[in-house]
Amino acid sequence: MEYHQSSEMNGVVSDYLNMRIESTHNDLCKEKESKEAEESKKRSLIEKSYSTILSELGEDVGREGLLRTPLRAAKAMQFLTKGYKETTQDILNDAIFDENHEEMVIVKDIELFSLCEHHLVPFFGKAHIAYLPNKKVVGLSKLARIVEIYSRRLQVQERLTKQIASAISEALEPAGVAVVIEAVHMCMVMRGVQKMNASTVTSVMLGKFHDDFKTRKEFLALTMRK
């Protein structure tokens, strides 16, 4: 009798757990479908805007070469600005580890591509990142992911540099963070002054990198040498 009751109880618990799992799965599917529908609606509006721009420029949006250009441009713009939908918390949750390491960690030559918020044309280059661990280290690829999150937005290089440094500082609470970005801006190359060989270097130094000249010098020597 006791065994029979126990079996029935196990069956009830199992049915309840399966019901909860199915309900959670359905909720996640609905949330995903809702997000996809929202993105599709936004893409459609951007597509119409690109079609208007092309028409106002004097183009025939009905000719073969431009039939799908507004849609392609809309998809491209959504990809190039996908960083608005991403956060550092999303990518760092399972990638921060306790480690008794206090020496400088450097990841250099991280390629980046972004859009200038003033003219919506690209700027691109490389980021060099260093931090001084305070009993915590992060997976090295995550530093590149942080660069990707903030560069895939409409940006100015000065703010991009600061956002990357601040994000690392807030996530790891290290003794110091240093970020240097070297980039070429197409708004200076393709238009305006049209200076083909001009590049822009920005830096942000936090903590010990800001306060200690020797630490800052070591970082710059290791990252800026060719």
Side-chain angles (χ1 to χ4, degrees):
M1 187 67 176
E2 290 180 0
Y3 173 77
H4 180 68
Q5 289 177 339
S6 176
S7 296
E8 286 184 345
M9 181 60 69
N10 289 337
V12 170
V13 171
S14 178
D15 289 344
Y16 173 76
L17 290 176
N18 288 333
M19 183 177 66
R20 291 294 298 168
I21 291 171
E22 183 176 355
S23 175
T24 301
H25 175 72
N26 290 337
D27 289 343
L28 291 174
C29 287
K30 288 179 181 178
E31 183 180 353
K32 181 180 179 182
E33 290 173 359
S34 177
K35 288 182 178 179
E36 289 176 349
E38 184 180 353
E39 286 300 302
S40 179
K41 182 180 178 180
K42 290 179 179 178
R43 187 181 305 120
S44 179
L45 292 172
I46 298 171
E47 179 185 356
K48 290 178 182 177
S49 297
Y50 272 116
S51 182
T52 300
I53 291 171
L54 290 171
S55 295
E56 292 302 318
L57 289 173
E59 269 290 357
D60 175 13
V61 294
R63 70 179 177 86
E64 184 180 7
L66 292 179
L67 282 176
R68 291 178 57 81
T69 296
L71 176 59
R72 294 190 192 101
K75 289 180 177 179
M77 185 58 73
Q78 284 185 312
F79 175 79
L80 294 172
T81 59
K82 67 187 180 72
Y84 288 120
K85 297 187 289 291
E86 300 172 332
T87 68
T88 53
Q89 290 79 11
D90 293 336
I91 66 167
L92 293 181
N93 276 341
D94 60 348
I96 298 177
F97 311 100
D98 294 329
E99 188 68 40
N100 188 24
H101 182 80
E102 298 178 350
E103 301 302 316
M104 192 181 303
V105 177
I106 299 175
V107 180
K108 58 183 291 187
D109 296 330
I110 302 170
E111 294 181 342
L112 66 87
F113 302 87
S114 192
L115 288 177
C116 166
E117 68 179 29
H118 300 142
H119 302 98
L120 300 185
V121 292
F123 68 91
F124 57 91
K126 295 180 178 181
H128 313 297
I129 297 173
Y131 72 97
L132 293 167
N134 184 18
K135 308 301 182 183
K136 291 181 181 179
V137 296
V138 66
L140 297 177
S141 67
K142 302 304 182 181
L143 296 176
R145 288 289 304 276
I146 290 174
V147 173
E148 180 79 1
I149 286 175
Y150 289 104
S151 62
R152 293 300 186 185
R153 302 178 183 188
L154 302 183
Q155 281 287 10
V156 294
Q157 186 174 326
E158 297 88 340
R159 182 172 66 238
L160 173 59
T161 311
K162 186 173 182 179
Q163 286 178 332
I164 294 170
S166 296
I168 297 170
S169 182
E170 290 172 10
L172 297 179
E173 298 180 341
V177 177
V179 178
V180 171
I181 292 179
E182 304 173 86
V184 174
H185 291 248
M186 298 311 290
C187 59
M188 288 184 63
V189 175
M190 297 173 63
R191 56 163 301 283
V193 294
Q194 299 183 56
K195 299 303 180 184
M196 299 293 293
N197 297 314
S199 63
T200 302
V201 180
T202 51
S203 69
V204 171
M205 306 287 170
L206 303 177
K208 196 170 181 180
F209 286 101
H210 178 274
D211 299 334
D212 186 72
F213 171 75
K214 289 184 178 180
T215 303
R216 183 166 63 252
K217 183 179 179 181
E218 179 185 355
F219 164 70
L220 294 173
L222 290 171
T223 56
M224 304 307 288
R225 67 186 181 188
K226 302 299 182 181

